[in-house]
Amino acid sequence: MTIQTIVVPDLGGAETVEVIELGLSPGDSIEVEDSLLVLESDKATMDIPSPAAGALVKYLVAEGATVKVGDPIAEIEVAGEATAETPEVEDIEQVVHEPAAEVIAEVVEETEAKVSPVEAAASSSVEQLILIPDIGSDDKVELIEISIAVGDEVAEGDTLVVLESDKATMDVPSTHSGKVLKILVAEGAKLGTGDAVALFEVAGEAAAPIDQQSAPVAQESAPVVAEPENEKPVAKAAPAAAAAAKVTSAADSIQSAPGQPAQPASVAVQPVAATDGASLYAGPAVRLIARELGVSLSQVQGTGPRGRILKDDVSNFVKQVMKNKDAPAASANGGSGIPVVPAIDFSQFGKIEELSMSKIQRLTAANMQRNWLNVPHVTQFDDADITELEAFRKGLKAEGEKRGVRVTPVAFLIKAIAAALEANPEFNRSLAADGQSLIQKHYCHVGMAVDTPRGLMVPVIRDVNEKGIWDISAEISLLAGKARDGKLKPAEMQGGCFTLSSLGAIGGNGFTPIVNAPEVGILGVSKSQIKPVWDGSEFVPRLLLPMALSYDHRAINGGDAGRFMTHLVKLLSDIRYLAL
Ligand code: CAO
């Protein structure tokens, strides 16, 4: 028996990383490639695998520690002598991997060299087959997520699909900018380097026509069968030739998203992925377990650093579900114990068609159900008299045109919400995950529900308390535009303290919004209407804005909500108070 010291391997460019998960206990046996611990840079998390079978003697670092390449991190006891395979720093450095940007640039360059004819197309736009670039392995891996839809405008570097092997989850970036004409793969398909993913329309200068580009691909691949755009894509695209060139010096690397470090094959990379404002943040091993158990990670509360989902979180979730399975419906938590809506064959009643839900729609559905089941909602209603506010807003039109900023009532609502949050800090709190304390926030970020063709998105306007109406208006346009174009970055959907959902431009007298947990309050605003209001001596026409405030009754009392709403009504009815 020999004691072997494990050191931090090449980090593909990252100088230092944090130890975020020590998954084993001293004495635990390990197999080759089993995850010893998890490191995290600002871009990726990495499972560090064991180079040999044996048992963990001890960790040499603690969770939260910052380490760099070559630092000793663990000791394992292995049978026989420590071998040359031990990942000493020198050995690992022999397979040093190029930074992702270089790797990707080389892949793209070589791919283009292979697929582009000498004469680039002269037309203004051409069709371009988009292939999987080198993924550092000849193996086929499973496609677990399609991140684009027909009609999307995709920028070079945007995520096309997510692939998952038993070691890593990989975001596959697009090698071209363009519009998605067709998706050639389906979730569950096995894909590898060079396989066709989609057909893009791209600017003509940079790309070659599809018939020329795909020629070498077609020789070794089944024909890409055209299908109607509105049909669910199926895994028809057979493996294409390995058109994407190998990056020889990074042959073992797993390519990550642009700007992220390439990692050794034995280091599993999971980019910090966020999907709906609530990020699904988990390493590949956790994702694998979740998939094996059929657990949707969007339902699991992460207890690791920065909300990372750990193996224990998944197993605790499963335990909780099993515990609640036989409990009476009244004890339902997170959806279990609730009688299931029966599956019905609707075709027996008439013609039907099955429409697949977008990723955003599925995540929204899961979040809504989670929030509806977990949060005891109360909704309070009131009308704000915005007669003067609207007169003032309309008076800003000419200046707005000069500044190129459109001011809608939503900007005043967001500003008023920030002032009401400052005056009523109960609404700027979240319940701690264990339900035993409240987190008071001393920042003021307000989320805004945006209706998009792909589903509901909630970008967040930051530090609203420090901004004026012009800046807020400009941000509303910018973020709502990005949301509609599918261009929001995960960080732009995170950190909200409170959400505004305005259906004012659409219509309706009122609705009861669902709290966007872990926030504790949400304001739903409907269409303003002129109504007769008694002023003490006569009815006068006033413009009234119907508002509904839903809140989490675990964190907020009715009195708090009454005060918040009354304050909001006062601010909107006389916006001079906003200046105080
Ligand atoms: N009453 C009457 N008119 C209103 C209004 C209200 N409460 N709110 C906005 N309007 C008017 C605006 O003033 C604008 O008219 P003018 O150009 O004449 O001034 C018009 O409606 C269109 O506004 P808009 O929708 O372009 O911009 P906005 O700032 O009002 O809204 C946004 C931005 C992103 C909130 C909105 O576009 C949106 O997506 N709303 C839907 C939110 C949603 O889906 N909520 C449900 C979520 S599920 O709980």
Side-chain angles (χ1 to χ4, degrees):
M1 289 287 182
T2 314
I3 304 295
Q4 187 167 341
T5 304
I6 311 298
V7 299
V8 178
D10 173 48
L11 299 169
E15 301 231 316
T16 58
V17 285
E18 189 181 332
V19 178
I20 61 164
E21 200 180 315
L22 301 175
L24 303 172
S25 303
D28 280 357
S29 58
I30 34 171
E31 297 297 327
V32 182
E33 295 289 309
D34 274 1
S35 174
L36 274 171
L37 48 76
V38 185
L39 302 178
E40 183 179 72
S41 72
D42 57 343
K43 304 243 174 39
T45 57
M46 296 151 251
D47 278 348
I48 302 300
S50 174
L56 178 76
V57 176
K58 63 180 173 191
Y59 286 116
L60 304 172
V61 287
E63 278 183 10
T66 300
V67 291
K68 58 183 189 316
V69 175
D71 281 355
I73 43 180
E75 282 178 1
I76 57 171
E77 188 177 63
V78 295
E81 306 248 320
T83 63
E85 284 156 29
T86 308
E88 301 295 347
V89 188
E90 292 76 13
D91 294 335
I92 288 166
E93 281 179 353
Q94 286 167 14
V95 287
V96 159
H97 305 286
E98 297 166 18
E102 285 170 45
V103 173
I104 292 165
E106 198 172 339
V107 171
V108 171
E109 201 180 291
E110 293 188 34
T111 302
E112 284 178 349
K114 289 201 173 184
V115 298
S116 300
V118 178
E119 311 82 21
S123 63
S124 61
S125 71
V126 291
E127 294 185 346
Q128 167 83 42
L129 201 56
I130 305 297
L131 312 175
I132 303 261
D134 182 19
I135 57 171
S137 155
D138 293 335
D139 295 342
K140 299 277 179 192
V141 288
E142 192 177 344
L143 169 62
I144 59 162
E145 205 170 288
I146 298 175
S147 312
I148 52 171
V150 170
D152 281 0
E153 288 292 345
V154 176
E156 185 182 333
D158 282 359
T159 299
L160 288 176
V161 293
V162 183
L163 302 179
E164 186 175 76
S165 69
D166 56 349
K167 299 214 185 64
T169 307
M170 294 162 262
D171 275 10
V172 176
S174 176
T175 50
H176 291 77
S177 300
K179 182 176 177 181
V180 182
L181 297 178
K182 203 170 289 176
I183 293 172
L184 306 169
V185 289
E187 283 177 13
K190 298 274 188 191
L191 298 178
T193 302
D195 284 350
V197 174
L199 187 62
F200 278 18
E201 182 181 80
V202 300
E205 296 279 311
I210 181 65
D211 54 353
Q212 289 171 310
Q213 284 212 354
S214 58
V217 175
Q219 285 165 11
E220 292 183 36
S221 67
V224 173
V225 183
E227 39 179 330
E229 288 192 1
N230 56 357
E231 276 184 16
K232 211 166 147 186
V234 291
K236 283 180 188 161
K246 293 275 181 209
V247 179
T248 47
S249 61
D252 295 337
S253 76
I254 293 172
Q255 189 173 317
S256 50
Q260 291 178 342
Q263 300 294 337
S266 55
V267 175
V269 176
Q270 170 53 45
V272 177
T275 40
D276 61 334
S279 56
L280 297 184
Y281 182 20
V286 174
R287 284 178 181 260
L288 185 65
I289 287 176
R291 283 165 62 72
E292 282 172 1
L293 295 173
V295 170
S296 162
L297 285 176
S298 64
Q299 293 183 286
V300 180
Q301 182 79 45
T303 61
R306 288 184 281 286
R308 187 167 194 274
I309 300 173
L310 310 177
K311 281 181 191 169
D312 278 353
D313 297 328
V314 176
S315 54
N316 287 340
F317 175 83
V318 172
K319 275 185 212 151
Q320 192 63 38
V321 169
M322 297 311 291
K323 211 164 90 188
N324 288 343
K325 205 167 121 285
D326 302 319
S331 72
N333 180 19
S336 42
I338 292 185
V340 173
V341 177
I344 289 180
D345 175 13
F346 297 101
S347 65
Q348 61 186 302
F349 308 119
K351 195 174 165 204
I352 59 162
E353 92 182 281
E354 191 171 337
L355 308 170
S356 58
M357 289 168 84
S358 70
K359 191 171 86 176
I360 293 173
Q361 284 173 319
R362 279 184 272 128
L363 282 162
T364 301
N367 284 343
M368 290 294 179
Q369 185 176 27
R370 183 195 67 195
N371 296 342
W372 179 253
L373 290 170
N374 281 308
V375 176
H377 279 75
V378 177
T379 305
Q380 161 150 357
F381 304 90
D382 208 343
D383 290 343
D385 183 337
I386 57 165
T387 315
E388 270 86 39
L389 186 158
E390 274 297 86
F392 177 67
R393 185 183 72 85
K394 287 187 176 139
L396 294 176
K397 203 169 172 204
E399 192 180 343
E401 277 166 12
K402 262 193 244 156
R403 290 172 177 253
V405 176
R406 191 166 146 261
V407 181
T408 67
V410 169
F412 288 92
L413 281 159
I414 288 177
K415 185 70 194 164
I417 285 168
L421 286 175
E422 283 193 321
N424 301 272
E426 304 80 17
F427 274 84
N428 200 1
R429 291 177 186 162
S430 281
L431 269 173
D434 63 3
Q436 302 303 302
S437 59
L438 291 159
I439 314 296
Q440 179 72 57
K441 294 156 199 172
H442 296 293
Y443 52 85
C444 188
H445 307 334
V446 178
M448 168 185 70
V450 181
D451 185 31
T452 82
R454 288 190 204 92
L456 181 66
M457 312 277 303
V458 187
V460 173
I461 302 180
R462 310 194 104 72
D463 302 313
V464 178
N465 51 334
E466 293 166 14
K467 291 179 179 162
I469 294 295
W470 294 116
D471 287 342
I472 295 171
S473 297
E475 278 198 55
I476 291 170
S477 300
L478 180 77
L479 292 172
K482 278 186 167 186
R484 290 185 190 114
D485 296 341
K487 299 267 183 260
L488 281 177
K489 300 264 181 306
E492 291 172 315
M493 295 183 281
Q494 292 168 349
C497 304
F498 185 98
T499 296
L500 169 69
S501 175
S502 169
L503 291 176
I506 298 172
N509 290 328
F511 64 101
T512 54
I514 296 177
V515 170
N516 189 13
E519 296 166 22
V520 294
I522 180 169
L523 186 74
V525 169
S526 298
K527 191 176 178 63
S528 57
Q529 285 189 57
I530 294 180
K531 291 193 175 162
V533 174
W534 186 251
D535 73 353
S537 52
E538 57 177 344
F539 280 104
V540 288
R542 304 294 294 176
L543 185 62
L544 300 186
L545 179 71
M547 302 194 296
L549 173 70
S550 292
Y551 57 92
D552 182 339
H553 211 338
R554 294 172 301 178
I556 305 281
N557 292 326
D560 302 327
R563 280 184 286 276
F564 183 92
M565 189 63 130
T566 307
H567 193 67
L568 202 56
V569 166
K570 181 171 144 185
L571 294 169
L572 293 167
S573 300
D574 187 345
I575 55 166
R576 287 173 303 183
Y577 286 109
L578 276 177
L580 296 180

